[in-house]
Amino acid sequence: MIRNILDIDFPSGVKHLYMNGRRYTKKDFLKARALEKRRGKKGRFISLNKL
């Protein structure tokens, strides 16, 4: 089942999180989450200038 990264918070006390076939550290998870917030309706990334 594909999970939306925006709906999940990184648990405290955990070094790695495995989700959607990918292993995330807290730093990588927060970076991926920030990128997902920039994704438009068509699934492409929107530039920071248009936000």
Side-chain angles (χ1 to χ4, degrees), residues 3 8 10-11 14-25 29:
R3 300 202 182 260
I8 297 174
F10 197 86
V14 177
K15 290 185 178 184
H16 296 93
L17 179 67
Y18 188 79
M19 181 175 56
N20 297 337
R22 183 137 192 255
R23 185 177 172 194
Y24 294 100
T25 61
F29 180 82

